[in-house]
Amino acid sequence: SAPDTGFSSKTCTMSSASKSLRELTPLDLTKAGLSEPAARELLSRLFELPNVLSIRLRNGTVDPRLAWHHISKVLLTPEMPHEVHVLLYNSTYAAWDTSKLG
């Protein structure tokens, strides 16, 4: 049997229909457990990522690895619900092609 990680499979399930960071709405973040003001503030900071991170891919998007590093180290806090962390991780890597990029 699998070891108990302390997380329910429901909480950590990766959705194949994950929205990208650009597609997230305040409702997505409130459903994940943030208050509406906190959701709006976090989205505002997420939408600033292309300006904050100067290294971009050819198509003008931010490299997801750089974006996740900034999100996880600067924007997310331990006080935020785990579901918010999972949502942002899934959204950051929504377009990641594991067959090409590993």
Side-chain angles (χ1 to χ4, degrees), residues 1-98:
S1 112
D4 182 7
T5 61
F7 299 112
S8 71
S9 58
K10 178 184 170 198
T11 302
C12 294
T13 300
M14 297 264 304
S15 168
S16 60
S18 292
K19 291 181 176 182
S20 71
L21 290 173
R22 292 182 197 181
E23 297 170 321
L24 289 177
T25 66
L27 181 59
D28 296 318
L29 292 169
T30 57
K31 283 182 178 179
L34 285 182
S35 68
E36 189 169 335
R40 290 189 182 284
E41 172 65 24
L42 183 55
L43 275 181
S44 172
R45 295 181 73 194
L46 285 170
F47 292 151
E48 293 172 0
L49 275 179
N51 300 324
V52 171
L53 302 174
S54 59
I55 300 173
R56 299 181 191 176
L57 300 177
R58 284 187 214 154
N59 63 1
T61 62
V62 174
D63 183 321
R65 294 165 294 194
L66 295 173
W68 178 246
H69 180 79
H70 182 79
I71 290 166
S72 65
K73 300 296 181 194
V74 177
L75 302 182
L76 291 172
T77 66
E79 294 78 24
M80 291 179 181
H82 177 72
E83 291 79 4
V84 173
H85 293 244
V86 172
L87 174 64
L88 293 186
Y89 178 86
N90 289 342
S91 295
T92 300
Y93 287 102
W96 188 264
D97 185 347
T98 55

